[in-house]
């Protein structure tokens, strides 16, 4: 008798032999090849007997009464029941040093060459240690399903286990989503590198050679690094930019950055957010691995520019499937963009043959490249014209066609293009930077380039070049070293 004040204790009869002794349930009903579950305590065994009967009748349960007895009982069971599946249903003593329950169960499993070993899949060590605790904590229905899965696994062939493992791996990567649940899910807003134009993911910017694609992406990069305006009126959130300028050199890039209109080159804090790399291995030779490393170190990156795709992609094989190779070359980049939730803008070319019905069919290569991309942008500009069109399509953007004024390093989005056709070159609108100069000179006639640069907070060298071009085009006029806005009579 145990005194009430002592509390419940696990006590055996005095001098009773415990080694190799056990308490059994269902051995007298055992059928050939039926499962035998080996566990520690009686409460665990009683729960297992009830739970396992749900999936496999009849089932026998052996209670070793202590973890140390598991290894001694296991070979006895194997000797007398060679054709039955013997499974150790281990305790998980995660909060005890050395985890004696799981350690002893593993020893028994290996020593007697048993058929399986399973411990309760607790969410937390605080939830319990044995299968009885698991059923109490998570409910008998869930416990039955877990035990059913384990017992069925023991009876599967090696081929069936391999297939199940493959399916489980696929399911873990992307579990099935029920539509009824999906409609109630909340997701963060789409992140943009250039709002409305370049969202997170893989984007293609395609155009003909020497059409100004590299100038355009440099303009985008500086707008993001400065947290300023892209194309004159699209406010960008400040962030880091990595530009893989694989077809440029330092001298040319320095000149372009210094001459980019509206850029304060003295703002080193903003320029420090713009990283440039002139060479990199192809994607399959370490290029993607390097980008992965860079993005892991710079979580504030908003845009990566690859100029050009042809310089970075894996080259086509002579005997491969061209569509598949195009798709995989682009998809590998997209996977990296998705991993870090960053926009990767890839510069690519258009083929010579035009498609008046769908300009996106003009993207060089097979449809596999555009098919893997989230967003595609087509840039077209006639030779010597100071304007062009940027057409966009994609998964997260509205299909639109924009008119963009461009003159060397100054870019300005001046509206959407209607279906009736392109504007005349003479009617191309002035960029915002030109309008700023005209408005300033109208209010302050007779200004030097230095005075204009200081007033508008623009780089002096860029202003000088811009004023000369504007005067040559008749937009403003010059007297001596002073510049003036045209009067109404001049414009007429």
């Amino acid at each position: 008798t145990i005194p009430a004040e002592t509390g419940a204790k696990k006590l055996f009869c005095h001098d009773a032999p415990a080694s190799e002794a056990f308490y059994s349930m269902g051995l007298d009903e055992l059928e050939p090849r039926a499962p035998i579950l080996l566990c520690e305590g009686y409460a665990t065994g009683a729960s297992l007997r009830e739970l396992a009967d749900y999936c496999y009748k009849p089932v026998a349960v052996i209670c070793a009464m202590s973890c140390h007895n598991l290894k001694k009982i296991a070979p006895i069971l194997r000797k007398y029941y060679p054709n039955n599946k013997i499974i150790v249903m281990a305790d998980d003593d995660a909060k005890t040093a050395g985890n004696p329950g799981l350690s002893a169960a593993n020893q028994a499993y290996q020593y007697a060459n048993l058929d399986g070993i399973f411990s309760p899949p607790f969410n937390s060590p605080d939830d319990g240690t044995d299968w009885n605790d698991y059923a109490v904590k998570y409910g008998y229905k869930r416990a039955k399903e877990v035990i059913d899965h384990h017992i069925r696994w023991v009876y599967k062939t090696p081929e069936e286990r391999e297939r199940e493992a493959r399916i489980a791996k696929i399911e873990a990567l992307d579990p099935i989503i029920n539509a009824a649940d999906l409609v109630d899910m909340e997701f963060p807003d789409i992140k943009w590198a250039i709002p409305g134009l370049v969202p997170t993911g893989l984007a293609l910017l395609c155009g003909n050679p020497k059409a100004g694609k590299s100038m355009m992406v440099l303009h985008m990069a500086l707008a993001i690094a400065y947290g300023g305006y892209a194309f004159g009126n699209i406010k960008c959130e400040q962030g880091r930019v990595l530009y893989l300028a694989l077809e440029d050199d330092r001298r040319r890039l320095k000149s372009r950055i210094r001459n980019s209109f509206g850029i304060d080159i003295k703002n080193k804090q903003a320029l420090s957010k713009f990283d440039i790399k002139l060479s990199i291995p192809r994607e399959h030779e370490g290029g993607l691995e390097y980008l992965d490393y860079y993005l892991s170190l710079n979580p504030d990156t908003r845009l990566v520019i690859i100029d050009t795709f042809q310089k970075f992609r894996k080259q086509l094989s002579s005997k491969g499937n061209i569509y598949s190779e195009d798709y995989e070359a682009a998809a590998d980049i997209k996977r990296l963009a998705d991993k870090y939730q960053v926009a990767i803008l890839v510069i690519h070319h258009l083929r010579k043959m035009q498609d008046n019905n769908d300009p996106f069919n003009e993207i060089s290569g097979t449809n596999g490249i555009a098919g893997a991309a989230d967003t595609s942008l087509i840039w077209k500009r006639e030779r010597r014209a100071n304007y062009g069109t940027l057409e966009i399509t994609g998964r997260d953007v509205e299909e639109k066609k924009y008119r963009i004024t461009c003159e060397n390093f100054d870019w300005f989005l001046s509206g959407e293009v209607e279906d009736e056709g392109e504007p005349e070159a003479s009617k191309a609108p002035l960029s915002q930077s030109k309008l700023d100069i005209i408005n300033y000179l109208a209010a302050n006639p007779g200004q030097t380039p230095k005075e204009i640069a200081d007033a508008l907070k623009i780089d002096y060298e860029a202003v000088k070049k811009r004023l000369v071009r504007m005067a040559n085009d008749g937009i403003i006029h010059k007297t001596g070293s002073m510049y003036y806005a045209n009067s109404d009579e001049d414009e007429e």
Side-chain angles (χ1 to χ4, degrees):
T1 303
I2 302 174
E5 63 272 13
T6 305
K9 292 184 178 180
K10 296 179 180 178
L11 300 175
F12 296 102
C13 296
H14 185 66
D15 291 333
S19 179
E20 300 183 356
F22 55 85
Y23 184 85
S24 68
M25 306 177 196
L27 272 182
D28 54 336
E29 305 171 7
L30 193 64
E31 296 179 355
R33 299 195 75 252
I36 300 174
L37 307 184
L38 175 60
C39 67
E40 288 188 35
Y42 176 82
T44 303
S47 292
L48 287 170
R49 168 78 165 163
E50 180 180 348
L51 295 168
D53 271 354
Y54 163 79
C55 59
Y56 201 114
K57 289 185 179 183
V59 62
V61 177
I62 305 298
C63 305
M65 309 311 290
S66 76
C67 64
H68 307 293
N69 212 18
L70 292 172
K71 183 178 177 181
K72 298 177 180 179
I73 295 173
I76 298 174
L77 293 174
R78 174 54 73 209
K79 177 181 178 181
Y80 287 99
Y81 301 95
N83 297 321
N84 293 85
K85 299 291 185 181
I86 303 175
I87 307 166
V88 188
M89 304 300 286
D91 285 12
D92 186 359
D93 301 323
K95 299 181 71 173
T96 304
N99 199 328
L102 204 53
S103 176
N106 270 299
Q107 290 177 11
Y109 169 73
Q110 296 173 11
Y111 183 68
N113 192 28
L114 302 185
D115 300 289
I117 176 172
F118 305 107
S119 58
F122 290 111
N123 295 334
S124 165
D126 294 327
D127 289 350
T129 61
D130 59 42
W131 286 96
N132 181 64
D133 296 334
Y134 186 85
V136 171
K137 179 69 178 180
Y138 301 114
Y140 272 60
K141 182 177 184 297
R142 178 172 169 182
K144 287 176 178 179
E145 291 172 350
V146 172
I147 292 171
D148 174 55
H149 174 77
H150 288 329
I151 292 178
R152 291 184 188 278
W153 184 89
V154 168
Y155 282 88
K156 292 181 185 295
T157 65
E159 293 75 19
E160 290 172 329
R161 292 178 185 179
E162 288 179 8
R163 177 176 177 272
E164 185 173 301
R166 290 195 302 270
I167 292 173
K169 192 173 182 179
I170 295 171
E171 182 69 14
L173 286 173
D174 185 20
I176 290 176
I177 304 170
N178 187 269
D181 298 326
L182 180 62
V183 295
D184 293 327
M185 293 180 182
E186 295 184 2
F187 301 98
D189 293 336
I190 295 171
K191 292 173 61 178
W192 297 88
I194 307 293
L197 293 179
V198 184
T200 294
L202 172 62
L204 299 176
L205 174 60
C206 305
N208 292 319
K210 306 300 184 290
K213 300 184 297 298
S214 294
M215 302 266 226
M216 180 185 287
V217 297
L218 180 63
H219 167 82
M220 294 181 187
L222 289 168
I224 293 171
Y226 277 77
Y229 288 85
F231 302 105
N233 51 22
I234 302 177
K235 184 70 172 73
C236 298
E237 183 177 337
Q238 189 177 37
R240 184 168 297 278
V241 178
L242 174 63
Y243 182 20
L244 302 184
L246 307 181
E247 294 185 340
D248 271 313
D249 57 36
R250 297 184 181 190
R251 178 193 58 79
R252 187 180 299 116
L253 286 167
K254 174 186 174 181
S255 174
R256 288 178 176 177
I257 292 172
R258 289 186 65 90
N259 288 292
S260 294
F261 200 78
I263 296 301
D264 179 8
I265 61 173
K266 295 179 181 179
N267 187 346
K268 301 300 184 183
Q269 187 275 334
L271 282 174
S272 69
K273 289 186 173 294
F274 185 12
D275 294 329
I276 300 169
K277 191 167 177 59
L278 302 182
S279 63
I280 192 173
R282 292 186 180 272
E283 58 179 341
H284 64 293
E285 295 172 340
L288 282 175
E289 185 178 15
Y290 178 83
L291 289 183
D292 194 320
Y293 172 75
Y294 177 91
L295 292 170
S296 69
L297 294 181
N298 298 281
D300 61 333
T301 303
R302 299 191 67 80
L303 178 65
V304 175
I305 300 167
I306 300 176
D307 187 2
T308 62
F309 182 56
Q310 197 61 32
K311 286 275 189 176
F312 185 71
R313 66 162 296 168
K314 181 179 180 180
Q315 293 175 305
L316 291 169
S317 63
S318 59
K319 298 181 180 179
N321 181 301
I322 298 177
Y323 178 92
S324 297
E325 292 186 24
D326 277 350
Y327 184 90
E328 280 306 313
D332 286 341
I333 303 173
K334 171 179 164 51
R335 280 188 279 269
L336 192 63
D338 293 342
K339 176 180 178 180
Y340 289 99
Q341 284 297 287
V342 67
I344 299 183
L345 180 60
V346 176
I347 311 305
H348 194 41
H349 296 296
L350 296 176
R351 59 170 59 99
K352 293 181 180 179
M353 186 173 294
Q354 294 187 351
D355 187 328
N356 294 326
N357 294 321
D358 187 353
F360 291 94
N361 288 333
E362 299 174 29
I363 296 175
S364 181
T366 69
N367 289 335
I369 299 173
D374 298 292
T375 308
S376 294
L377 301 104
I378 302 292
W379 167 243
K380 290 188 176 182
R381 179 180 68 87
E382 298 294 333
R383 297 294 179 205
R384 297 182 298 279
N386 71 333
Y387 71 93
T389 59
L390 186 67
E391 194 162 356
I392 181 172
T393 189
R395 299 183 176 107
D396 298 312
V397 297
E398 289 187 63
E399 289 192 352
K400 289 188 176 182
K401 188 175 185 180
Y402 296 100
R403 182 183 299 117
I404 293 181
T405 303
C406 55
E407 188 173 334
N408 290 333
F409 309 102
D410 190 14
W411 298 79
F412 180 67
L413 192 153
S414 51
E416 290 186 52
V417 176
E418 302 296 335
D419 292 336
E420 58 264 22
E422 308 297 340
E424 296 293 331
S426 61
K427 297 180 181 179
L430 296 174
S431 65
Q432 187 62 47
S433 55
K434 288 181 179 178
L435 292 173
D436 290 342
I437 291 175
I438 293 171
N439 292 334
Y440 176 72
L441 290 176
N444 303 276
Q447 297 288 301
T448 66
K450 182 69 166 64
E451 290 170 331
I452 297 171
D454 290 343
L456 297 180
K457 294 182 171 49
I458 302 170
D459 180 65
Y460 172 60
E461 294 296 330
V463 168
K464 283 201 305 181
K465 294 179 180 180
R466 176 51 49 85
L467 290 170
V468 170
R469 289 194 294 269
M470 291 175 69
N472 290 338
D473 292 340
I475 300 172
I476 58 175
H477 65 273
K478 178 184 179 184
T479 302
S481 61
M482 305 292 187
Y483 286 89
Y484 299 84
N486 292 335
S487 64
D488 293 338
E489 291 80 4
D490 294 332
E491 293 177 359
E492 291 175 2

mmCIF file with all atom_site columns, all heavy atoms in Angstrom, residues 55-71:
data_model
loop_
_atom_site.group_PDB
_atom_site.id
_atom_site.type_symbol
_atom_site.label_atom_id
_atom_site.label_alt_id
_atom_site.label_comp_id
_atom_site.label_asym_id
_atom_site.label_entity_id
_atom_site.label_seq_id
_atom_site.pdbx_PDB_ins_code
_atom_site.Cartn_x
_atom_site.Cartn_y
_atom_site.Cartn_z
_atom_site.occupancy
_atom_site.B_iso_or_equiv
_atom_site.pdbx_formal_charge
_atom_site.auth_seq_id
_atom_site.auth_comp_id
_atom_site.auth_asym_id
_atom_site.auth_atom_id
_atom_site.pdbx_PDB_model_num
ATOM 1   N N   . CYS A 1 55 ? -5.870  0.814  -36.836 1.00 0.00 ? 55 CYS A N   1
ATOM 2   C CA  . CYS A 1 55 ? -5.358  0.626  -38.200 1.00 0.00 ? 55 CYS A CA  1
ATOM 3   C C   . CYS A 1 55 ? -4.953  -0.812 -38.492 1.00 0.00 ? 55 CYS A C   1
ATOM 4   O O   . CYS A 1 55 ? -4.845  -1.183 -39.651 1.00 0.00 ? 55 CYS A O   1
ATOM 5   C CB  . CYS A 1 55 ? -4.161  1.555  -38.428 1.00 0.00 ? 55 CYS A CB  1
ATOM 6   S SG  . CYS A 1 55 ? -2.785  1.291  -37.294 1.00 0.00 ? 55 CYS A SG  1
ATOM 7   N N   . TYR A 1 56 ? -4.678  -1.618 -37.452 1.00 0.00 ? 56 TYR A N   1
ATOM 8   C CA  . TYR A 1 56 ? -4.195  -2.972 -37.735 1.00 0.00 ? 56 TYR A CA  1
ATOM 9   C C   . TYR A 1 56 ? -4.643  -3.899 -36.606 1.00 0.00 ? 56 TYR A C   1
ATOM 10  O O   . TYR A 1 56 ? -4.152  -3.806 -35.482 1.00 0.00 ? 56 TYR A O   1
ATOM 11  C CB  . TYR A 1 56 ? -2.664  -2.979 -37.837 1.00 0.00 ? 56 TYR A CB  1
ATOM 12  C CG  . TYR A 1 56 ? -2.120  -4.171 -38.608 1.00 0.00 ? 56 TYR A CG  1
ATOM 13  C CD1 . TYR A 1 56 ? -1.475  -3.979 -39.819 1.00 0.00 ? 56 TYR A CD1 1
ATOM 14  C CD2 . TYR A 1 56 ? -2.268  -5.472 -38.133 1.00 0.00 ? 56 TYR A CD2 1
ATOM 15  C CE1 . TYR A 1 56 ? -0.972  -5.052 -40.537 1.00 0.00 ? 56 TYR A CE1 1
ATOM 16  C CE2 . TYR A 1 56 ? -1.787  -6.550 -38.847 1.00 0.00 ? 56 TYR A CE2 1
ATOM 17  C CZ  . TYR A 1 56 ? -1.132  -6.336 -40.041 1.00 0.00 ? 56 TYR A CZ  1
ATOM 18  O OH  . TYR A 1 56 ? -0.645  -7.405 -40.758 1.00 0.00 ? 56 TYR A OH  1
ATOM 19  N N   . LYS A 1 57 ? -5.580  -4.754 -36.881 1.00 0.00 ? 57 LYS A N   1
ATOM 20  C CA  . LYS A 1 57 ? -6.062  -5.705 -35.868 1.00 0.00 ? 57 LYS A CA  1
ATOM 21  C C   . LYS A 1 57 ? -5.662  -7.114 -36.260 1.00 0.00 ? 57 LYS A C   1
ATOM 22  O O   . LYS A 1 57 ? -5.785  -7.487 -37.428 1.00 0.00 ? 57 LYS A O   1
ATOM 23  C CB  . LYS A 1 57 ? -7.584  -5.622 -35.742 1.00 0.00 ? 57 LYS A CB  1
ATOM 24  C CG  . LYS A 1 57 ? -8.087  -4.345 -35.086 1.00 0.00 ? 57 LYS A CG  1
ATOM 25  C CD  . LYS A 1 57 ? -9.585  -4.406 -34.893 1.00 0.00 ? 57 LYS A CD  1
ATOM 26  C CE  . LYS A 1 57 ? -10.106 -3.150 -34.208 1.00 0.00 ? 57 LYS A CE  1
ATOM 27  N NZ  . LYS A 1 57 ? -11.551 -3.213 -33.950 1.00 0.00 ? 57 LYS A NZ  1
ATOM 28  N N   . PRO A 1 58 ? -5.280  -7.952 -35.296 1.00 0.00 ? 58 PRO A N   1
ATOM 29  C CA  . PRO A 1 58 ? -4.953  -7.562 -33.919 1.00 0.00 ? 58 PRO A CA  1
ATOM 30  C C   . PRO A 1 58 ? -3.512  -7.091 -33.828 1.00 0.00 ? 58 PRO A C   1
ATOM 31  O O   . PRO A 1 58 ? -2.691  -7.419 -34.675 1.00 0.00 ? 58 PRO A O   1
ATOM 32  C CB  . PRO A 1 58 ? -5.139  -8.877 -33.150 1.00 0.00 ? 58 PRO A CB  1
ATOM 33  C CG  . PRO A 1 58 ? -4.747  -9.919 -34.152 1.00 0.00 ? 58 PRO A CG  1
ATOM 34  C CD  . PRO A 1 58 ? -5.186  -9.410 -35.490 1.00 0.00 ? 58 PRO A CD  1
ATOM 35  N N   . VAL A 1 59 ? -3.169  -6.336 -32.833 1.00 0.00 ? 59 VAL A N   1
ATOM 36  C CA  . VAL A 1 59 ? -1.816  -5.867 -32.599 1.00 0.00 ? 59 VAL A CA  1
ATOM 37  C C   . VAL A 1 59 ? -1.440  -6.236 -31.166 1.00 0.00 ? 59 VAL A C   1
ATOM 38  O O   . VAL A 1 59 ? -2.271  -6.184 -30.266 1.00 0.00 ? 59 VAL A O   1
ATOM 39  C CB  . VAL A 1 59 ? -1.705  -4.351 -32.823 1.00 0.00 ? 59 VAL A CB  1
ATOM 40  C CG1 . VAL A 1 59 ? -2.590  -3.585 -31.859 1.00 0.00 ? 59 VAL A CG1 1
ATOM 41  C CG2 . VAL A 1 59 ? -0.259  -3.890 -32.683 1.00 0.00 ? 59 VAL A CG2 1
ATOM 42  N N   . ALA A 1 60 ? -0.197  -6.651 -30.978 1.00 0.00 ? 60 ALA A N   1
ATOM 43  C CA  . ALA A 1 60 ? 0.291   -6.975 -29.639 1.00 0.00 ? 60 ALA A CA  1
ATOM 44  C C   . ALA A 1 60 ? 1.177   -5.843 -29.145 1.00 0.00 ? 60 ALA A C   1
ATOM 45  O O   . ALA A 1 60 ? 1.911   -5.225 -29.922 1.00 0.00 ? 60 ALA A O   1
ATOM 46  C CB  . ALA A 1 60 ? 1.080   -8.280 -29.654 1.00 0.00 ? 60 ALA A CB  1
ATOM 47  N N   . VAL A 1 61 ? 1.122   -5.558 -27.851 1.00 0.00 ? 61 VAL A N   1
ATOM 48  C CA  . VAL A 1 61 ? 1.936   -4.509 -27.237 1.00 0.00 ? 61 VAL A CA  1
ATOM 49  C C   . VAL A 1 61 ? 2.728   -5.120 -26.089 1.00 0.00 ? 61 VAL A C   1
ATOM 50  O O   . VAL A 1 61 ? 2.179   -5.853 -25.261 1.00 0.00 ? 61 VAL A O   1
ATOM 51  C CB  . VAL A 1 61 ? 1.068   -3.339 -26.731 1.00 0.00 ? 61 VAL A CB  1
ATOM 52  C CG1 . VAL A 1 61 ? 1.933   -2.296 -26.037 1.00 0.00 ? 61 VAL A CG1 1
ATOM 53  C CG2 . VAL A 1 61 ? 0.292   -2.707 -27.875 1.00 0.00 ? 61 VAL A CG2 1
ATOM 54  N N   . ILE A 1 62 ? 4.025   -4.785 -26.045 1.00 0.00 ? 62 ILE A N   1
ATOM 55  C CA  . ILE A 1 62 ? 4.910   -5.279 -24.996 1.00 0.00 ? 62 ILE A CA  1
ATOM 56  C C   . ILE A 1 62 ? 5.411   -4.091 -24.196 1.00 0.00 ? 62 ILE A C   1
ATOM 57  O O   . ILE A 1 62 ? 6.015   -3.160 -24.751 1.00 0.00 ? 62 ILE A O   1
ATOM 58  C CB  . ILE A 1 62 ? 6.113   -6.053 -25.584 1.00 0.00 ? 62 ILE A CB  1
ATOM 59  C CG1 . ILE A 1 62 ? 5.629   -7.178 -26.485 1.00 0.00 ? 62 ILE A CG1 1
ATOM 60  C CG2 . ILE A 1 62 ? 7.018   -6.569 -24.478 1.00 0.00 ? 62 ILE A CG2 1
ATOM 61  C CD1 . ILE A 1 62 ? 4.808   -8.234 -25.792 1.00 0.00 ? 62 ILE A CD1 1
ATOM 62  N N   . CYS A 1 63 ? 5.168   -4.107 -22.891 1.00 0.00 ? 63 CYS A N   1
ATOM 63  C CA  . CYS A 1 63 ? 5.622   -3.030 -22.007 1.00 0.00 ? 63 CYS A CA  1
ATOM 64  C C   . CYS A 1 63 ? 6.876   -3.488 -21.268 1.00 0.00 ? 63 CYS A C   1
ATOM 65  O O   . CYS A 1 63 ? 6.810   -4.432 -20.454 1.00 0.00 ? 63 CYS A O   1
ATOM 66  C CB  . CYS A 1 63 ? 4.537   -2.652 -21.001 1.00 0.00 ? 63 CYS A CB  1
ATOM 67  S SG  . CYS A 1 63 ? 2.953   -2.223 -21.760 1.00 0.00 ? 63 CYS A SG  1
ATOM 68  N N   . ALA A 1 64 ? 7.995   -2.849 -21.524 1.00 0.00 ? 64 ALA A N   1
ATOM 69  C CA  . ALA A 1 64 ? 9.266   -3.237 -20.884 1.00 0.00 ? 64 ALA A CA  1
ATOM 70  C C   . ALA A 1 64 ? 9.368   -2.697 -19.468 1.00 0.00 ? 64 ALA A C   1
ATOM 71  O O   . ALA A 1 64 ? 10.230  -3.135 -18.701 1.00 0.00 ? 64 ALA A O   1
ATOM 72  C CB  . ALA A 1 64 ? 10.437  -2.729 -21.719 1.00 0.00 ? 64 ALA A CB  1
ATOM 73  N N   . MET A 1 65 ? 8.543   -1.725 -19.127 1.00 0.00 ? 65 MET A N   1
ATOM 74  C CA  . MET A 1 65 ? 8.451   -1.116 -17.808 1.00 0.00 ? 65 MET A CA  1
ATOM 75  C C   . MET A 1 65 ? 9.627   -0.197 -17.466 1.00 0.00 ? 65 MET A C   1
ATOM 76  O O   . MET A 1 65 ? 9.586   0.512  -16.475 1.00 0.00 ? 65 MET A O   1
ATOM 77  C CB  . MET A 1 65 ? 8.286   -2.179 -16.711 1.00 0.00 ? 65 MET A CB  1
ATOM 78  C CG  . MET A 1 65 ? 7.143   -3.168 -16.996 1.00 0.00 ? 65 MET A CG  1
ATOM 79  S SD  . MET A 1 65 ? 5.563   -2.380 -17.458 1.00 0.00 ? 65 MET A SD  1
ATOM 80  C CE  . MET A 1 65 ? 5.077   -1.641 -15.914 1.00 0.00 ? 65 MET A CE  1
ATOM 81  N N   . SER A 1 66 ? 10.684  -0.214 -18.287 1.00 0.00 ? 66 SER A N   1
ATOM 82  C CA  . SER A 1 66 ? 11.778  0.751  -18.123 1.00 0.00 ? 66 SER A CA  1
ATOM 83  C C   . SER A 1 66 ? 12.550  0.807  -19.430 1.00 0.00 ? 66 SER A C   1
ATOM 84  O O   . SER A 1 66 ? 12.563  -0.158 -20.214 1.00 0.00 ? 66 SER A O   1
ATOM 85  C CB  . SER A 1 66 ? 12.711  0.373  -16.976 1.00 0.00 ? 66 SER A CB  1
ATOM 86  O OG  . SER A 1 66 ? 13.563  -0.683 -17.344 1.00 0.00 ? 66 SER A OG  1
ATOM 87  N N   . CYS A 1 67 ? 13.208  1.927  -19.675 1.00 0.00 ? 67 CYS A N   1
ATOM 88  C CA  . CYS A 1 67 ? 13.960  2.056  -20.928 1.00 0.00 ? 67 CYS A CA  1
ATOM 89  C C   . CYS A 1 67 ? 15.148  1.088  -20.963 1.00 0.00 ? 67 CYS A C   1
ATOM 90  O O   . CYS A 1 67 ? 15.524  0.597  -22.029 1.00 0.00 ? 67 CYS A O   1
ATOM 91  C CB  . CYS A 1 67 ? 14.429  3.501  -21.117 1.00 0.00 ? 67 CYS A CB  1
ATOM 92  S SG  . CYS A 1 67 ? 15.600  4.093  -19.890 1.00 0.00 ? 67 CYS A SG  1
ATOM 93  N N   . HIS A 1 68 ? 15.732  0.799  -19.779 1.00 0.00 ? 68 HIS A N   1
ATOM 94  C CA  . HIS A 1 68 ? 16.910  -0.065 -19.738 1.00 0.00 ? 68 HIS A CA  1
ATOM 95  C C   . HIS A 1 68 ? 16.567  -1.508 -20.108 1.00 0.00 ? 68 HIS A C   1
ATOM 96  O O   . HIS A 1 68 ? 17.452  -2.281 -20.488 1.00 0.00 ? 68 HIS A O   1
ATOM 97  C CB  . HIS A 1 68 ? 17.544  -0.015 -18.348 1.00 0.00 ? 68 HIS A CB  1
ATOM 98  C CG  . HIS A 1 68 ? 17.827  1.391  -17.882 1.00 0.00 ? 68 HIS A CG  1
ATOM 99  N ND1 . HIS A 1 68 ? 18.768  2.194  -18.477 1.00 0.00 ? 68 HIS A ND1 1
ATOM 100 C CD2 . HIS A 1 68 ? 17.260  2.130  -16.894 1.00 0.00 ? 68 HIS A CD2 1
ATOM 101 C CE1 . HIS A 1 68 ? 18.793  3.370  -17.867 1.00 0.00 ? 68 HIS A CE1 1
ATOM 102 N NE2 . HIS A 1 68 ? 17.886  3.363  -16.910 1.00 0.00 ? 68 HIS A NE2 1
ATOM 103 N N   . ASN A 1 69 ? 15.304  -1.868 -20.006 1.00 0.00 ? 69 ASN A N   1
ATOM 104 C CA  . ASN A 1 69 ? 14.895  -3.246 -20.286 1.00 0.00 ? 69 ASN A CA  1
ATOM 105 C C   . ASN A 1 69 ? 14.594  -3.476 -21.768 1.00 0.00 ? 69 ASN A C   1
ATOM 106 O O   . ASN A 1 69 ? 14.414  -4.619 -22.195 1.00 0.00 ? 69 ASN A O   1
ATOM 107 C CB  . ASN A 1 69 ? 13.663  -3.590 -19.447 1.00 0.00 ? 69 ASN A CB  1
ATOM 108 C CG  . ASN A 1 69 ? 13.609  -5.051 -19.049 1.00 0.00 ? 69 ASN A CG  1
ATOM 109 O OD1 . ASN A 1 69 ? 14.620  -5.766 -19.105 1.00 0.00 ? 69 ASN A OD1 1
ATOM 110 N ND2 . ASN A 1 69 ? 12.444  -5.516 -18.655 1.00 0.00 ? 69 ASN A ND2 1
ATOM 111 N N   . LEU A 1 70 ? 14.513  -2.376 -22.572 1.00 0.00 ? 70 LEU A N   1
ATOM 112 C CA  . LEU A 1 70 ? 14.165  -2.523 -23.991 1.00 0.00 ? 70 LEU A CA  1
ATOM 113 C C   . LEU A 1 70 ? 15.181  -3.388 -24.731 1.00 0.00 ? 70 LEU A C   1
ATOM 114 O O   . LEU A 1 70 ? 14.819  -4.289 -25.494 1.00 0.00 ? 70 LEU A O   1
ATOM 115 C CB  . LEU A 1 70 ? 14.092  -1.131 -24.656 1.00 0.00 ? 70 LEU A CB  1
ATOM 116 C CG  . LEU A 1 70 ? 12.944  -0.214 -24.224 1.00 0.00 ? 70 LEU A CG  1
ATOM 117 C CD1 . LEU A 1 70 ? 13.123  1.180  -24.831 1.00 0.00 ? 70 LEU A CD1 1
ATOM 118 C CD2 . LEU A 1 70 ? 11.587  -0.795 -24.646 1.00 0.00 ? 70 LEU A CD2 1
ATOM 119 N N   . LYS A 1 71 ? 16.452  -3.138 -24.501 1.00 0.00 ? 71 LYS A N   1
ATOM 120 C CA  . LYS A 1 71 ? 17.501  -3.864 -25.206 1.00 0.00 ? 71 LYS A CA  1
ATOM 121 C C   . LYS A 1 71 ? 17.520  -5.342 -24.828 1.00 0.00 ? 71 LYS A C   1
ATOM 122 O O   . LYS A 1 71 ? 17.891  -6.198 -25.643 1.00 0.00 ? 71 LYS A O   1
ATOM 123 C CB  . LYS A 1 71 ? 18.856  -3.219 -24.903 1.00 0.00 ? 71 LYS A CB  1
ATOM 124 C CG  . LYS A 1 71 ? 20.018  -3.857 -25.652 1.00 0.00 ? 71 LYS A CG  1
ATOM 125 C CD  . LYS A 1 71 ? 21.324  -3.145 -25.345 1.00 0.00 ? 71 LYS A CD  1
ATOM 126 C CE  . LYS A 1 71 ? 22.500  -3.824 -26.034 1.00 0.00 ? 71 LYS A CE  1
ATOM 127 N NZ  . LYS A 1 71 ? 23.788  -3.156 -25.733 1.00 0.00 ? 71 LYS A NZ  1
#
